[in-house]
Amino acid sequence: MAEYDNTKIIGRFLDRHLAVTLFEHLEAKKIYSDEEILKGKLALLFDTNMVDFAMDIYKKLYQTEEVPEEMKAKRASVISKLKSLPFQSEPLMEKLKDTSFIERLRKEGNFNMNHLKANYGVKDEHLDDLFRIAKFQFECGNYSATAEYLSFFRELSNDPEKNLAALWGKLAAEILIMENMEQATTDLEELKETIENKSISTPLGQLQQRAWVIHWSLFVYFGDPTGRGRFVDLIFSERYMNTVQTTCPHILRYLTAAVVTNKKRKTYLKNLVDVIEQESSYKDPITEFIEALYIKFDFETAQQKLKECERVLENDYFLNVIQEEFIENARLFIFETYCKIHSCIDINMLAQRLDMNGSEAERWIVNLIRNAKLDAKIDSAAGTVLMGSTQPSVFQQLIDKTKALSLKVIYIEREHARSKTRSAVAEKRDITEDGSAV
């Protein structure tokens, strides 16, 4: 389903190393041809120092064991620089290798440039060299070394701009290592605080960096079930919602998925519906499912969009891990909304709405009634679900009846309009067939 693949859009907000991971996912899903994927990966790697990786892709793409001389020359240059770079910052690099030395200075409160310059021959240019070494290691794909060097750099540097750049680099390295996402989460939180410092960036620069934070956070938050709640909180904050609506409305796909699979989804659902109703510049099956169900109350369209959601979720790098959870909760949304309109529900009709067969739907409803403790009964002989009624306060009854009546009116109006459309089409067909009109 390449139609709804947004890798190209998201890639504009990512470092090219992060973008490569998305291409590898697309390669596994076979959404595009192998040639298209390999050419894309090769283009991404062109300006990096991951020459061996690029050579392997070139050989696979062009079915050859030979690579251009340009690639060979670049590989030799990268290897030479890798060997020479540490010597440019040798006094500092030697001290950073001694973990007991660093821990002692930290305990004493002396792990800073003033102390290192006064006692160990370290110079300011050595710290600048450390930054360059970390950047070069990152371009070579040595992400563990990058994270370590940039962590040291940020402890020792007092340069706000370079510290911000180092924090971005450290976050990228930790995401790519994928071993310590807890640290990546900590760095992401610090990054969010740092970019709000007006002395570091202009308003336009802040807007751009918030957009980057949103996209990079997908790697951090969607890798952790509890992280999706933090993603929802982030996007619904005023500044970040403004960023989404201004620069990246495609993020509504991920906001919708996070809300649907969130345990506190009812808290966020109204806000989500409002945002989707206002935003017309971006649509995909995931956002259209919410639109059909909660704005238009169109169950047939909601059912159709839910089917399309399965493919979109399966092929999306960030959402494929929550595909089953999303579909399950989306069916629950349909069931809850349908129950607000009907007191006696035909199981076969409901099964169609949920994209299930009759027996599956009945088992699903039984489990739902049991687990959610709903006041409902199943009449297996009649093939219906009978919704019960509790006795809330008079005030709450009035609110609930008003809401239910409003839903019923919208539903009846939509069915009436649909019936008129079908009648008009049938009438036109009859006229055309008897030859009295063309």
Side-chain angles (χ1 to χ4, degrees), residues 232-355:
V232 171
D233 290 335
L234 172 69
I235 303 303
F236 275 131
S237 64
E238 183 179 354
R239 288 172 174 172
Y240 281 88
M241 178 54 71
N242 178 58
T243 302
V244 169
Q245 294 175 326
T246 305
T247 64
C248 47
H250 54 272
I251 288 298
L252 289 179
R253 170 187 295 187
Y254 303 98
L255 176 63
T256 303
V259 169
V260 170
T261 57
N262 194 298
K263 291 182 178 179
K264 297 179 180 178
R265 52 187 172 271
K266 290 183 180 179
T267 307
Y268 301 111
L269 189 56
K270 183 181 182 301
N271 292 338
L272 175 66
V273 171
D274 290 343
V275 170
I276 290 176
E277 190 170 16
Q278 294 167 15
E279 185 56 59
S280 59
S281 62
Y282 178 80
K283 292 182 184 296
D284 68 24
I286 293 175
T287 62
E288 288 175 325
F289 168 76
I290 295 295
E291 180 185 37
L293 189 60
Y294 288 105
I295 299 172
K296 298 179 178 179
F297 299 98
D298 185 341
F299 290 99
E300 289 185 14
T301 301
Q303 174 196 351
Q304 175 193 339
K305 294 303 174 182
L306 184 56
K307 287 182 180 179
E308 294 176 14
C309 283
E310 293 190 45
R311 290 295 304 278
V312 175
L313 292 161
E314 181 183 353
N315 291 329
D316 191 289
Y317 176 85
F318 302 104
L319 302 182
N320 70 95
V321 294
I322 62 169
Q323 180 182 352
E324 291 184 8
E325 188 179 355
F326 180 94
I327 299 300
E328 180 71 12
N329 286 344
R331 285 172 173 165
L332 177 58
F333 280 13
I334 293 174
F335 180 78
E336 289 176 340
T337 307
Y338 204 75
C339 288
K340 288 177 182 177
I341 300 173
H342 304 83
S343 58
C344 181
I345 304 166
D346 182 89
I347 291 177
N348 288 326
M349 175 65 74
L350 186 60
Q352 292 178 16
R353 305 294 189 209
L354 300 175
D355 191 26

Side-chain angles (χ1 to χ4, degrees), residues 210-244:
R210 287 189 200 112
W212 293 346
V213 164
I214 289 170
H215 289 79
W216 292 36
S217 74
L218 293 172
F219 290 93
V220 178
Y221 290 146
F222 278 84
D224 174 13
T226 62
R228 296 197 294 274
R230 292 196 291 272
F231 180 78
V232 171
D233 290 335
L234 172 69
I235 303 303
F236 275 131
S237 64
E238 183 179 354
R239 288 172 174 172
Y240 281 88
M241 178 54 71
N242 178 58
T243 302
V244 169

Side-chain angles (χ1 to χ4, degrees), residues 29-258:
K29 291 297 180 181
K30 302 295 183 184
I31 300 173
Y32 301 97
S33 69
D34 289 344
E35 182 180 2
E36 288 177 294
I37 294 294
L38 292 172
K39 283 183 176 179
K41 288 168 72 174
L42 196 58
L44 285 171
L45 295 170
F46 184 78
D47 288 331
T48 74
N49 293 328
M50 299 172 69
V51 189
D52 287 340
F53 190 15
M55 284 180 169
D56 290 340
I57 292 173
Y58 183 92
K59 291 175 183 177
K60 189 175 180 180
L61 175 61
Y62 295 106
Q63 298 294 303
T64 180
E65 288 301 314
E66 291 299 318
V67 295
E69 289 299 322
E70 181 185 1
M71 279 187 162
K72 294 178 182 178
K74 185 174 182 178
R75 185 178 188 277
S77 173
V78 168
I79 292 173
S80 174
K81 196 168 183 179
L82 269 175
K83 292 178 180 178
S84 64
L85 267 176
F87 293 105
Q88 297 176 18
S89 183
E90 189 169 8
L92 179 57
M93 294 296 287
E94 285 299 316
K95 295 301 178 185
L96 296 180
K97 291 177 184 176
D98 189 341
T99 54
S100 59
F101 170 79
I102 292 171
E103 287 304 314
R104 178 170 62 81
L105 289 189
R106 282 174 175 158
K107 287 179 181 178
E108 296 171 355
N110 289 323
F111 189 56
N112 56 69
M113 282 301 291
N114 289 334
H115 184 78
L116 292 174
K117 286 192 290 185
N119 297 279
Y120 300 102
V122 175
K123 300 178 181 179
D124 287 329
E125 52 264 35
H126 294 149
L127 187 60
D128 292 335
D129 288 335
L130 177 63
F131 184 84
R132 283 192 287 271
I133 291 168
K135 188 175 187 303
F136 193 82
Q137 290 283 3
F138 182 81
E139 293 300 336
C140 292
N142 298 328
Y143 305 123
S144 295
T146 300
E148 182 181 17
Y149 292 156
L150 290 178
S151 181
F152 286 138
F153 177 85
R154 297 191 68 249
E155 280 190 85
L156 298 171
S157 174
N158 293 317
D159 185 327
E161 290 188 9
K162 279 195 173 181
N163 264 326
L164 179 59
L167 186 54
W168 277 109
K170 185 168 179 282
L171 175 60
E174 283 160 351
I175 290 172
L176 290 159
I177 296 167
M178 297 187 72
E179 290 179 357
N180 189 5
M181 294 307 282
E182 185 177 342
Q183 183 58 50
T185 303
T186 301
D187 286 346
L188 184 64
E189 294 299 320
E190 184 177 351
L191 191 55
K192 284 157 53 180
E193 294 176 10
T194 304
I195 65 175
E196 298 307 324
N197 185 342
K198 292 182 173 62
S199 65
I200 290 179
S201 182
T202 63
L204 182 60
Q206 288 176 315
L207 180 68
Q208 183 184 46
Q209 295 209 38
R210 287 189 200 112
W212 293 346
V213 164
I214 289 170
H215 289 79
W216 292 36
S217 74
L218 293 172
F219 290 93
V220 178
Y221 290 146
F222 278 84
D224 174 13
T226 62
R228 296 197 294 274
R230 292 196 291 272
F231 180 78
V232 171
D233 290 335
L234 172 69
I235 303 303
F236 275 131
S237 64
E238 183 179 354
R239 288 172 174 172
Y240 281 88
M241 178 54 71
N242 178 58
T243 302
V244 169
Q245 294 175 326
T246 305
T247 64
C248 47
H250 54 272
I251 288 298
L252 289 179
R253 170 187 295 187
Y254 303 98
L255 176 63
T256 303

Side-chain angles (χ1 to χ4, degrees), residues 392-402:
S393 67
V394 174
F395 180 67
Q396 187 60 46
Q397 288 182 54
L398 179 62
I399 292 174
D400 291 342
K401 286 182 179 180
T402 303

